[in-house]
Amino acid sequence: MLLPKTHTLYLAPFQGITTQVFREIFTRHFPGTDKLFTAFFTGINNEKSLRSRRKELEKTSHNGVPVIPQILSKDAGEILLFGKLCHNMGFSEINWNLGCPFPRVARKMRGSGLLPYPEKIMEILETVFPSLPIKLSVKCRLGYHNADEIMALLPVFNKFPLSEIIVHARLGEQMYKGNVDTDTFRKVLQQSMHEMVYNGDIFSPADFEDITQQFPQLNYWMIGRGLLADPFLPGQLKGIPIPEPPLGVIRKYVDDLYYTYRKAFNDSLRTINVMKEFWSYLSLSFDRPERVFGKIKKCTSFDAYEDAVNFALNNYTWQGNGGKKIK
Ligand SMILES: Cc1cc2nc3c(=O)[nH]c(=O)nc-3n(C[C@H](O)[C@H](O)[C@H](O)COP(=O)(O)O)c2cc1C
């Protein structure tokens, strides 16, 4: 009998959410994730510029799951410096963000704003690779304006020993709207000589089944919003049963996250803002998401937050995301 195929699952980076605290607590409570990414670093001109975010790079793995630091840059020197610093801290790979869609980033030819310029990307990779002491992977979209851009870029990527290419199968201009373009992703797979990772709109086991059937040759998948909404998802995709009752685990998870942030932020109310961002996704797995999030969103004190969370956990039912499209 053939053994079921084992899939490798990555947690997508989210600025402001998938922090070092989150990565530690998430992997403590939920099985199934094989790789973690930091949100992007930028403005790395010297070792000192890491100072305020050095904590983000304190651990090269969380509960046995490796961390890949990510850089957003169009400057070969900056990528090299970041690679060297990460290498010295014990990391084995860095990831180059060519996917960020935000206009203030893209307008400056960074993130997905660099995708229409394959010659510039070539120049950067030519400068970086000879001196880089660490593996380099890329996370990109299909293009900024149109999907021809990735097709022009693949011959460039093919010239360099990138460790893998993660593709969020949308255009930069789309931001997070509209559908993923699996037809173009199929063409990308045919043209690329690298290990490829699919990313985009995997929200449920049914979505995963659908995408793995479309791409049976792929082994690597990155999941973002689906996993923030339903942290049981990676385990489920690997056949690990959801513990009963699920809300027992969710309660421990959200409490652990909340108290660890309070400690990390010296009891500052910043904790509430981070938890609100986090609950904007997690609430989607309850039977009444708008009620759950509505109450938490209004909180301005620790007492109010704790009451709102207790109310949600005592009065609403955990359903899992169940395939709803997340915006
Ligand atoms: C609020 C927010 C912050 C994000 N921050 C980053 C980031 O720092 N680096 C990155 O490569 N992608 C970032 N992303 C993109 C996600 O990693 C992921 O590619 C995207 O959500 C698509 O995957 P999904 O459909 O599984 O959510 C961010 C997305 C959102 C919505």
Side-chain angles (χ1 to χ4, degrees), residues 63-290:
N63 300 299
V65 186
V67 176
I68 313 299
Q70 189 187 63
I71 177 93
L72 174 89
S73 178
K74 62 170 178 189
D75 176 346
E78 185 179 19
I79 298 172
L80 258 179
L81 175 62
F82 186 68
K84 285 177 183 165
L85 293 172
C86 290
H87 174 71
N88 293 344
M89 285 183 262
F91 291 94
S92 60
E93 179 182 326
I94 58 167
N95 178 263
W96 187 18
N97 179 324
L98 290 174
C100 184
F102 293 106
R104 66 172 190 282
V105 168
R107 265 199 307 266
K108 291 187 199 153
M109 274 174 75
R110 295 188 305 163
S112 64
L114 201 50
L115 296 174
Y117 305 97
E119 65 297 337
K120 175 78 184 158
I121 291 176
M122 170 103 160
E123 204 183 292
I124 294 172
L125 291 174
E126 270 174 344
T127 313
V128 164
F129 262 110
S131 320
L132 193 69
I134 191 168
K135 287 192 278 183
L136 178 70
S137 61
V138 161
K139 179 166 180 273
C140 65
R141 292 195 175 214
L142 297 173
Y144 186 73
H145 302 291
N146 64 68
D148 295 338
E149 293 167 23
I150 187 92
M151 300 321 285
L153 196 51
L154 286 169
V156 172
F157 285 156
N158 283 344
K159 288 197 170 88
F160 297 93
L162 295 165
S163 54
E164 62 187 8
I165 302 178
I166 305 160
V167 182
H168 176 191
R170 278 195 173 80
L171 298 172
E173 271 184 354
Q174 269 182 277
M175 304 286 286
Y176 294 91
K177 300 195 191 93
N179 293 326
V180 287
D181 176 359
T182 47
D183 289 340
T184 301
F185 183 72
R186 190 177 307 284
K187 290 186 200 142
V188 169
L189 283 189
Q190 285 158 2
Q191 300 293 319
S192 176
M193 286 161 54
H194 291 294
E195 194 70 76
M196 299 300 284
V197 183
Y198 173 87
N199 170 232
D201 291 15
I202 299 174
F203 300 132
S204 66
D207 291 340
F208 190 64
E209 172 134 8
D210 178 52
I211 197 82
T212 51
Q213 276 175 7
Q214 286 188 60
F215 301 107
Q217 69 275 46
L218 270 196
N219 271 320
Y220 298 89
W221 313 91
M222 174 178 267
I223 308 180
R225 292 164 296 172
L227 188 151
L228 295 179
D230 185 348
F232 294 112
L233 184 61
Q236 245 183 318
L237 300 183
K238 292 189 172 174
I240 302 166
I242 297 178
E244 280 300 331
L247 275 182
V249 179
I250 295 294
R251 183 182 286 274
K252 286 192 189 129
Y253 169 51
V254 297
D255 282 354
D256 212 357
L257 201 56
Y258 169 67
Y259 287 110
T260 310
Y261 270 129
R262 277 187 67 165
K263 196 166 169 211
F265 295 156
N266 292 321
D267 263 341
S268 130
L269 284 175
R270 216 175 123 198
T271 304
I272 307 276
N273 293 335
V274 179
M275 292 307 292
K276 282 182 193 175
E277 193 82 20
F278 161 79
W279 273 98
S280 70
Y281 292 100
L282 191 73
S283 59
L284 299 170
S285 278
F286 286 77
D287 56 342
R288 302 297 297 270
E290 62 305 326

